[in-house]
Amino acid sequence: MQKPPLTIIPSVPVWKQGETLRFDRKFYDGLLIYAELWPGPITCVMAQSSSPLPDFGVVEATPGEMPFTCIVLKENELAGSEHIANAAVVLASADAHDQLHVAALCRQKGVRCVYVIEYIPETRYQIAALSSRNPVLRLRQYLYLWLGERKRRKAFELCDGLQCNGAPAYHEYREIPNRLLYFDTRVSKEQLIGDAELEARLCTLREKKPLRLGFSGRLVAMKGADHLVQLALKLKKLNLPFHLSIYGAGDLEAEMKRSIERNGLNELVTMEGAVDFHRQLLPDLKEKVDLFVALHRQSDPSCTYLETLSCGVPIVGYRNQAFGGILDLAEIGWGVGPDDIDAVSLMILRLDLAREEIAEKSRNAVNFGRQHDFETTYKNRIDHLLSITNGRKRT
């Protein structure tokens, strides 16, 4: 039986120096699972990045030691028919505007095409609104996004399947056949919090000590980082004993530090900075955080949700479409209206007096995380691809 070749065209880039290639760690770890479970050869067609390497999460490899072939595109080069000619199925990114032509290429070559999608139009417009205060520039961005969405819909009419990261995309493109819902995460089975670890933290929770709140992510408006210090100030005015640990870096970091100093919050809020995900963030979430605060304005399917739940930490935050989609599936937290900081602060005040409720949802959180760990998620995605590869092609 012929082994079906798989071609992956991801949205993430690769860094190249001589023969050495540097990959995003989460992407590379996912490729290792593909190499283990996919029954044929794998080729990655990747854009080359000229930006600085990230501080954490980079894997170095050379062609001889990789279990897949990597084709690095030249600057401004698009994936072409020559890159997919030998594939049985192509997995491409529908969030990347320069890959929306891939479905048509696949149809011409008789190759099956599956897209991965994360953002919905609402989220794209929300990001544009935050990125520019100039109404003319914002209008141009809206027009560009509208045209891009038309191209995306036409590409979906030609593709053979869709892998949706998060509930918003899954529901937005409900008319596309062969959809798969998954939740992005970097937490493997062995990194999930154990029952003994969770019960130890819940014992501390019951001691009525100040609630330990946490946040991790980019410190940008899109992630609601500008509301974190405001929330801490409201909790202080409510006379709630608490401590908030903020992990991450970003454009708002300096202003947040000044605001903490200005409002006398130094003993209540700690800026932990950007820390290594596996070595520090996960252990800290498992041991030192009772309740995660997610003030994300947009409905982007942040991996933060599943990674936090995998540590057995329930979430309180703005009920955008992404968080709301998870809440509809499992009792793992509490959602309030977007931008309603008062509602979040009052919810935390109530939960301080209902710690068994926090404990119950902590257990629900880890149970949900166990259903969606890194390995299980990738296996489901590979099974989805195989079902499309082996099934009848769309006419």
Side-chain angles (χ1 to χ4, degrees):
M1 185 176 178
Q2 187 178 5
K3 297 181 178 179
L6 167 65
T7 295
I8 300 174
I9 312 175
S11 58
V12 295
V14 64
W15 290 262
K16 184 177 182 182
Q17 185 174 8
E19 288 295 307
T20 302
L21 299 176
R22 296 178 173 88
F23 298 88
D24 172 81
R25 176 175 176 174
K26 182 175 72 169
F27 173 74
Y28 192 83
D29 289 347
L31 278 176
L32 295 182
I33 297 180
Y34 274 100
E36 179 184 347
L37 300 179
W38 186 261
I42 299 173
T43 300
C44 279
V45 181
M46 303 184 71
Q48 184 175 177
S49 177
S50 58
S51 61
L53 281 166
D55 294 329
F56 301 107
V58 177
V59 174
E60 287 191 0
T62 56
E65 62 189 28
M66 299 185 303
F68 59 91
T69 301
C70 185
I71 298 174
V72 181
L73 298 172
K74 299 173 185 175
E75 187 176 358
N76 298 322
E77 182 184 9
L78 297 179
S81 57
E82 68 275 18
H83 299 122
I84 66 167
N86 298 320
V89 60
V90 172
L91 183 65
S93 170
D95 288 300
H97 69 277
D98 56 359
Q99 294 187 33
L100 298 179
H101 66 294
V102 171
L105 284 179
C106 289
R107 182 61 65 92
Q108 292 168 10
K109 291 291 182 180
V111 174
R112 287 174 172 82
C113 175
V114 176
Y115 273 116
V116 181
I117 184 71
E118 298 185 4
Y119 287 171
I120 59 174
E122 174 195 288
T123 302
R124 299 179 194 278
Y125 287 122
Q126 288 171 330
I127 294 171
L130 284 172
S131 65
S132 176
R133 295 183 180 179
N134 185 314
V136 177
L137 291 178
R138 191 182 303 166
L139 185 61
R140 286 179 182 172
Q141 286 181 308
Y142 287 170
L143 178 60
Y144 175 79
L145 292 173
W146 180 77
L147 292 171
E149 186 61 21
R150 289 188 66 187
K151 292 180 182 178
R152 187 171 291 107
R153 297 275 182 175
K154 288 180 180 179
F156 287 169
E157 291 175 5
L158 298 174
C159 75
D160 298 280
L162 198 59
Q163 296 192 352
C164 305
N165 178 14
Y170 187 75
H171 296 305
E172 177 73 24
Y173 301 106
R174 63 179 64 87
E175 75 280 5
I176 306 303
N178 298 327
R179 284 175 304 142
L180 171 75
L181 170 63
Y182 75 94
F183 298 99
D184 198 19
T185 181
R186 289 171 286 182
V187 180
S188 64
K189 287 182 183 297
E190 65 179 19
Q191 292 174 319
L192 290 161
I193 190 170
D195 291 338
E197 284 181 286
L198 178 60
E199 292 306 319
R201 195 184 73 224
L202 296 184
C203 283
T204 303
L205 174 68
R206 296 186 184 96
E207 293 174 358
K208 302 297 183 181
K209 294 179 180 178
L211 267 184
R212 298 172 297 178
L213 309 177
F215 170 88
S216 68
R218 288 181 291 130
L219 302 183
V220 296
M222 176 179 168
K223 300 296 184 182
D226 53 327
H227 284 187
L228 289 170
V229 179
Q230 296 181 50
L231 174 64
L233 188 58
K234 288 181 180 295
L235 293 176
K236 180 183 178 182
K237 290 179 178 178
L238 290 170
N239 296 315
L240 176 72
F242 75 96
H243 185 270
L244 172 61
S245 299
I246 300 173
Y247 296 86
D251 298 341
L252 298 177
E253 184 174 3
E255 174 55 34
M256 290 171 69
K257 289 180 177 178
R258 288 193 293 268
S259 184
I260 290 168
E261 183 73 32
R262 187 167 58 246
N263 290 289
L265 295 170
N266 297 77
E267 294 184 4
L268 298 173
V269 182
T270 303
M271 300 284 288
E272 302 285 354
V275 301
D276 184 83
F277 176 78
H278 297 280
R279 290 198 298 267
Q280 183 173 347
L281 182 59
L282 286 184
D284 279 8
L285 287 176
K286 292 176 186 177
E287 183 182 353
K288 302 177 182 178
V289 176
D290 302 312
L291 194 58
F292 191 93
V293 180
L295 307 182
H296 299 192
R297 291 181 171 85
Q298 282 76 34
S299 299
D300 60 296
S302 174
C303 57
T304 299
Y305 294 122
L306 257 293
E307 290 166 355
T308 300
L309 300 177
S310 297
C311 295
V313 180
I315 300 171
V316 59
Y318 297 153
R319 190 185 173 107
N320 56 51
Q321 289 193 52
F323 184 36
I326 298 174
L327 288 174
D328 289 341
L329 295 173
E331 294 287 334
I332 49 76
W334 306 264
V336 306
D339 289 323
D340 195 343
I341 307 178
D342 288 329
V344 176
S345 60
L346 292 174
M347 178 68 75
I348 294 173
L349 185 68
R350 182 187 75 77
L351 291 172
D352 182 56
L353 301 174
R355 298 200 175 196
E356 278 305 317
E357 186 177 337
I358 296 177
E360 179 184 356
K361 296 207 176 184
S362 297
R363 297 189 185 96
N364 293 345
V366 72
N367 287 334
F368 190 75
R370 285 168 181 163
Q371 299 171 39
H372 300 280
D373 62 79
F374 185 78
E375 293 90 346
T376 300
T377 297
Y378 270 87
K379 185 180 185 305
N380 289 341
R381 294 181 64 188
I382 291 168
D383 288 345
H384 176 253
L385 280 176
L386 284 171
S387 71
I388 291 173
T389 305
N390 299 326
R392 190 174 67 177
K393 187 180 296 187
R394 287 179 63 185
T395 58

